[in-house]
Amino acid sequence: MRTRNHRRTTRATGSAFTPDAIEVGARHLQIGDDWVASFAITGYPREVHPGWLQPLLTYPGRLDVSLHIEPIEPRVAADRLRKQLGRLESGRRDDAAHGRLADPQVEAATEDAYDLSDRLARGEGRLFRFGLYLTVHTGSEDELIEEISAVRALAASLLLDAKPTTYRSLQGWVTTLPMGLDHIQMTRTFDTAALAAAFPFTSPDLPPPDVTSSSAAGGVLYGYNLGSQGLVHWDRFACENYNSVILGRSGAGKSYLVKLEALRSLYRGVEVAIIDPEDEYARLANAVGGIHIPLGADGVRLNPLDLPIHTRPDGRRSAPADALTRRSLFCHTLLSVLFGQSLTADERAVLDLAVTATYQAAGITEDARTWTRQAPLLPDLQAALAASHDRVAHDLAARLRPFTEGAFSGLFDGPSTQTTESHLLVSSLRHLPDELKPAGILLTLDTVWRRISTPAARRPRLCVVDEAWLLMQQQSGAEFLWRMAKSARKHWAGLTVATQDVGDVLGSDLGKAVIANAATQVLLRQAPQSIDDIVRTFALSEGERQFLLSAGTGQGLLAAGTQRVAFHAIASDAEHLLITTNPAELAAMTDDDSPTGHDFAAELHQDIVLDD
């Protein structure tokens, strides 16, 4: 039988989804170019676990799963159950009277019926009519035969008996459409517990950002789901805050994942600033046309006394009303980090007066019109302290002298030499002495924060602090990072804290506060020595604990609120060339192997198109 539907172009929009033709066979349908076959489930296992139908939803082919549930009136259910118990019990007694051996299936059914009767009598559940139907779609008849075999094999592995809807193929297809119509009526009676366990939508995949569109993936592709056939997309800017924390031991793939997320965020129009402790992001910055600032190299300087001057759309330059006050407060934080300890009340009072005198000597006062003048330098502040007659000021000047005149003065002995106006800003700490790395992180964070908090240029931004334990070791540095984590959301920005030293983050209240203010949390492979702290902090299950101890490189757990998913980070060949830190791969890589600029953009775009 062949049914044709000729429709006009002026008909309603809904007719656009009507097939041009439907060819009905005994066990299949041909709907346009699709070949379709339907099945009804007639046999079920005796015992199941929650979500046991999930493999049907993760089937790699196109498979429609339809569940039809109809409640049974309690009075009708009780009468039917009583009659069923009577039949089963009479059958058992008849077998015993005639000396026949007991049927194990009848014995099991009788026990189940008695147990169900007790639960219904106590009001612990209800009975439902449950129908489960499957429809498989392919592009050709030969593929349909193979898919039918695969689907029936999958059903058999779940102890399900799938029967084809012979001579009712059209009714079977309609039954699996989202219309709420059951034209097959091959149902079984389920109680509440069995029905809840049969609910198949316990997917390990993260929910889509738009509940009205299950096919539209948003955010950044992290990798593929280890618990299903799906991909893991996550949009940080759709959460209550945009911060994330990435914890993993050395070699777990932490920096690889950070670079992958940063690179893919750039394609979404997100500005990214990265604090790079080991100069691992230089190739990435050069490839995408970003700015790479090697702090500690000759001629590279950052002036901590620079005022945040912004250029408005009309060309005029301005600064926040409290810019001078904030610079004074930042100087307190910077000196605390440089000295490795918090300043006392007397030292803060003396330093505040010296900062004010230093700005006044440069012609900068409370009058905002003077803020565009050349800012003083850290050596000017040290000279103002040394010129004071206060003993505390002399002590501060002596402690500050190594950073203005001594071995560590290279970063502070001149005005800022680098621009930070870029879609990707990478500040490398590799050339800095270990004593200056916390200060380098703090100065870079301050530079990024001044850009983030600019009212005239609001756009989504990410600030990545790799190896954040360097700054978390200092109380003042940890407080600055914590304040930034709390305030970034208000400026449409997200803070990424990545570290391999879990103890420095979880061992302090400020570190735990930074984690608590991160809506996105990524846990990679953990060391046995730190796994107990991770389990307590993130309330992990025993299975998640074992997964983090045995996870491979690039495998991790993405936790976002109540959603948790195990994933494996994947990158295209072009992306891998830029973000890999494998020494063997880097040694074998030639200059021609590393794409740069326009060539990389075109190659990466081609990879994305092919993946889609």
Side-chain angles (χ1 to χ4, degrees):
M1 178 179 67
R2 187 173 182 85
T3 303
R4 292 191 177 273
N5 177 21
H6 301 281
R7 61 186 187 276
R8 300 177 181 177
T9 57
T10 58
R11 292 180 60 184
T13 305
S15 64
F17 300 98
T18 305
D20 292 330
I22 299 178
E23 183 175 342
V24 182
R27 292 192 176 186
H28 75 276
L29 295 174
Q30 186 176 357
I31 306 171
D33 296 331
D34 288 343
W35 290 73
V36 175
S38 300
F39 302 89
I41 304 300
T42 59
Y44 296 86
R46 180 170 181 260
E47 296 183 0
V48 295
H49 57 82
W52 65 285
L53 289 179
Q54 174 60 29
L56 295 178
L57 297 186
T58 58
Y59 180 72
R62 182 183 172 187
L63 180 65
D64 295 338
V65 181
S66 178
L67 280 69
H68 292 263
I69 303 169
E70 180 184 357
I72 302 176
E73 290 291 336
R75 180 181 58 82
V76 176
D79 291 342
R80 292 182 179 179
L81 188 58
R82 184 165 51 251
K83 294 177 181 179
Q84 181 67 15
L85 282 172
R87 285 193 294 267
L88 292 172
E89 191 62 40
S90 63
R92 294 175 61 188
R93 293 183 180 182
D94 183 69
D95 291 341
H98 290 81
R100 291 191 291 266
L101 295 177
D103 188 348
Q105 293 185 354
V106 174
E107 293 292 330
T110 304
E111 293 178 5
D112 292 342
Y114 274 114
D115 179 64
L116 179 58
S117 178
D118 292 340
R119 284 189 278 114
L120 290 180
R122 292 193 296 268
E124 296 179 358
R126 293 184 58 182
L127 293 184
F128 301 85
R129 295 186 185 92
F130 177 81
L132 177 59
Y133 308 98
L134 310 175
T135 296
V136 60
H137 300 255
T138 61
S140 65
E141 186 176 7
D142 293 337
E143 294 178 2
L144 183 63
I145 296 174
E146 296 179 0
E147 290 295 318
I148 288 175
S149 300
V151 170
R152 298 193 71 174
L154 174 61
S157 68
L158 299 175
L159 300 181
L160 296 173
D161 190 6
K163 298 295 185 182
T165 56
T166 306
Y167 296 110
R168 291 191 292 174
S169 54
L170 181 60
Q171 291 86 342
W173 173 60
V174 173
T175 299
T176 58
L177 292 177
M179 301 170 61
L181 301 176
D182 186 359
H183 293 313
I184 303 298
Q185 293 293 325
M186 299 183 68
T187 60
R188 287 284 295 272
T189 301
F190 277 33
D191 67 330
T192 304
L195 183 63
F199 190 73
F201 305 105
T202 56
S203 172
D205 292 314
L206 292 171
D210 183 4
V211 296
T212 63
S213 176
S214 60
S215 61
V220 171
L221 173 63
Y222 276 55
Y224 65 84
N225 194 326
L226 294 177
S228 72
Q229 301 294 326
L231 300 176
V232 178
H233 291 83
W234 187 246
D235 187 3
R236 293 170 52 171
F237 292 94
C239 301
E240 60 269 20
N241 65 67
Y242 319 134
N243 302 330
S244 73
V245 59
I246 302 177
L247 304 179
R249 65 182 299 181
S250 178
K254 170 176 47 57
S255 297
Y256 192 94
L257 177 61
V258 170
K259 285 180 278 191
L260 192 63
E261 182 187 20
L263 181 58
R264 290 171 176 172
S265 296
L266 291 174
Y267 273 87
R268 300 184 63 208
V270 179
E271 288 190 5
V272 182
I274 302 174
I275 297 178
D276 178 12
E278 293 296 336
D279 207 16
E280 297 178 0
Y281 298 78
R283 288 184 295 120
L284 175 61
N286 294 331
V288 301
I291 294 178
H292 176 236
I293 303 177
L295 297 179
D298 292 339
V300 178
R301 298 178 180 85
L302 286 179
N303 182 14
L305 299 181
D306 279 339
L307 291 173
I309 305 299
H310 310 302
T311 302
R312 300 189 305 189
D314 58 3
R316 299 178 61 184
R317 303 177 71 190
S318 63
D322 58 348
L324 191 59
T325 302
R326 290 185 176 274
R327 279 296 88 193
S328 299
L329 295 176
F330 177 74
C331 288
H332 292 210
T333 303
L334 175 63
L335 264 62
S336 297
V337 172
L338 289 175
F339 298 159
Q341 61 184 21
S342 299
L343 300 179
T344 64
D346 293 340
E347 290 172 338
R348 287 183 178 276
V350 170
L351 179 61
D352 192 64
L353 293 175
V355 170
T356 302
T358 302
Y359 277 112
Q360 289 178 349
I364 299 176
T365 64
E366 294 293 337
D367 187 354
R369 293 175 296 180
T370 64
W371 294 353
T372 57
R373 296 174 180 174
Q374 180 68 41
L377 304 176
L378 194 62
D380 299 328
L381 176 60
Q382 190 268 337
L385 289 170
S388 175
H389 300 289
D390 190 277
R391 180 184 57 83
V392 176
H394 279 273
D395 180 63
L396 287 176
R399 295 165 65 185
L400 191 58
R401 185 171 291 108
F403 305 100
T404 59
E405 301 176 5
F408 305 131
S409 62
L411 187 62
F412 309 107
D413 59 357
S416 298
T417 59
Q418 301 289 330
T419 179
T420 59
E421 300 289 331
S422 177
H423 57 281
L424 176 62
L425 175 65
V426 176
S427 300
S428 174
L429 309 179
R430 183 175 183 179
H431 302 286
L432 281 178
D434 292 341
E435 294 81 1
L436 281 183
K437 286 185 177 180
I441 296 177
L442 181 64
L443 287 171
T444 305
L445 282 177
D446 173 67
T447 301
V448 173
W449 178 251
R450 284 186 287 173
R451 181 167 172 79
I452 287 175
S453 58
T454 304
R458 291 293 175 87
R459 57 179 60 90
R461 291 185 173 96
L462 288 181
C463 179
V464 179
V465 185
D466 201 350
E467 301 300 349
W469 62 271
L470 292 170
L471 187 61
M472 297 295 292
Q473 289 178 331
Q474 306 288 343
Q475 177 71 14
S476 299
E479 290 178 355
F480 187 90
L481 198 65
W482 170 66
R483 290 194 299 269
M484 188 173 181
K486 291 187 62 177
S487 304
R489 181 188 62 83
K490 302 176 183 178
H491 300 280
W492 204 6
L495 175 66
T496 297
V497 176
T499 183
Q500 66 181 4
D501 200 330
V502 179
D504 284 339
V505 178
L506 300 182
S508 65
D509 293 337
L510 289 175
K512 293 179 180 178
V514 171
I515 292 177
N517 280 276
T520 303
Q521 301 165 345
V522 179
L523 304 176
L524 303 177
R525 186 174 69 242
Q526 301 294 323
Q529 295 81 3
S530 60
I531 190 63
D532 291 335
D533 292 336
I534 292 289
V535 170
R536 284 192 301 268
T537 302
F538 296 93
L540 302 181
S541 64
E542 181 61 27
E544 292 168 338
R545 180 182 188 274
Q546 295 300 325
F547 169 73
L548 293 181
L549 287 174
S550 60
T553 301
Q555 295 181 353
L557 188 67
L558 172 62
T562 59
Q563 302 294 333
R564 291 183 180 178
V565 59
F567 72 97
H568 187 267
I570 55 174
S572 67
D573 293 339
E575 291 172 324
H576 181 76
L577 287 175
L578 293 178
I579 63 181
T580 181
T581 55
N582 188 322
E585 294 181 355
L586 294 178
M589 189 182 303
T590 63
D591 293 338
D592 296 335
D593 292 332
S594 181
T596 58
H598 176 74
D599 294 337
F600 164 74
E603 184 177 350
L604 184 57
H605 177 70
Q606 183 179 10
D607 288 344
I608 294 176
V609 171
L610 292 177
D611 291 342
D612 291 342

